[in-house]
Amino acid sequence: VFALACIGAHAQLTVTASNNAATLAQSLEGNGVAISNAILTAANDAAGSFNANFNTNLGISNGIVLTTGRTSDVSKTANIGSSKIGASYDNGAIGDTLLQSLSGYPTYNASSLTFDVVPIGDKLTFRYVFMSEEYPNFVCANFNDVFGFFVNGPRPTQLGGGSYVNKNVAIVPNTNQPVGINTVNSGVSGPYSTTAGCQGFNTAYYRNNAGNAYVVYNGGTVVLTATVD
């Protein structure tokens, strides 16, 4: 998952591994937002920062990356003189119960960044791109890569008051569906498909990444925005 920091221009995709939770979280701060108390739960080399230009088709020029593998596999051109063709790597991390509730299947190799955030305004927005090596072969299969952005904290009175409790705001636009390969895809089941009916929806948000000279993953989403009042 690639998450927004700010706009910039760079010649290629550069990904730098980091296990410094505070540095990663604070790089997401925008105007009117204060972030603190960051905690990173991820395998070694599973998280870091990135810089990219728009030729990569990410649509986000820099920010953080959380992977289920390792950051050293994200950029196709990370090693001079070679080009990576895949990012399948078992980093040994455990799964995540919240992600499992979205996926519907057991999860493994989860990465998470947790932090406190205080926005001055009345809305918090977070721009991100979800990508997966499971596209297109495992679309509608029992291996459902998924992303969540979970919110806990006070809920505005106009929404009923009380508190948010693990509210996932990373959803497919105009739906209540979480973002994953079984909810955003090309509309075609993969050869390992076992689940009927998950294809054919939300194709407008899918981007085939085949042939991309910069990013290794086979497919992903356009830039999406998680929003919370």
Side-chain angles (χ1 to χ4, degrees), residues 14-173:
T14 303
V15 182
T16 305
S18 174
N19 61 0
N20 189 317
T23 299
L24 293 177
Q26 287 168 3
S27 72
L28 301 177
E29 286 184 337
N31 292 332
V33 174
I35 289 177
S36 61
N37 300 327
I39 299 172
L40 176 68
T41 304
N44 186 44
D45 192 23
S49 59
F50 75 93
N51 287 284
N53 67 4
F54 288 98
N55 290 332
T56 64
N57 294 327
L58 273 177
I60 297 175
S61 59
N62 54 74
I64 69 167
V65 55
L66 299 175
T67 82
T68 59
R70 54 190 177 186
T71 59
S72 54
D73 286 336
V74 174
S75 174
K76 277 189 174 181
T77 56
N79 298 321
I80 297 176
S82 67
S83 180
K84 293 181 182 294
I85 59 173
S88 296
Y89 176 75
D90 181 358
N91 64 28
I94 62 174
D96 182 275
T97 56
L98 291 175
L99 290 178
Q100 184 167 317
S101 70
L102 301 183
S103 173
Y105 301 99
T107 58
Y108 307 91
N109 308 119
S111 295
S112 69
L113 180 64
T114 303
F115 50 86
D116 293 340
V117 55
V118 179
I120 294 175
D122 59 4
K123 281 188 184 297
L124 177 68
T125 59
F126 179 88
R127 297 177 65 236
Y128 65 96
V129 170
F130 166 82
M131 302 192 79
S132 177
E133 193 75 344
E134 292 179 353
Y135 289 118
N137 289 346
F138 291 93
V139 170
C140 299
N142 290 341
F143 300 94
N144 181 22
D145 263 2
V146 69
F147 170 70
F149 190 85
F150 300 97
V151 177
N152 291 276
R155 185 170 57 189
T157 54
Q158 63 267 30
L159 296 181
S163 297
Y164 294 116
V165 179
N166 293 327
K167 176 179 174 62
N168 177 38
V169 294
I171 57 176
V172 180

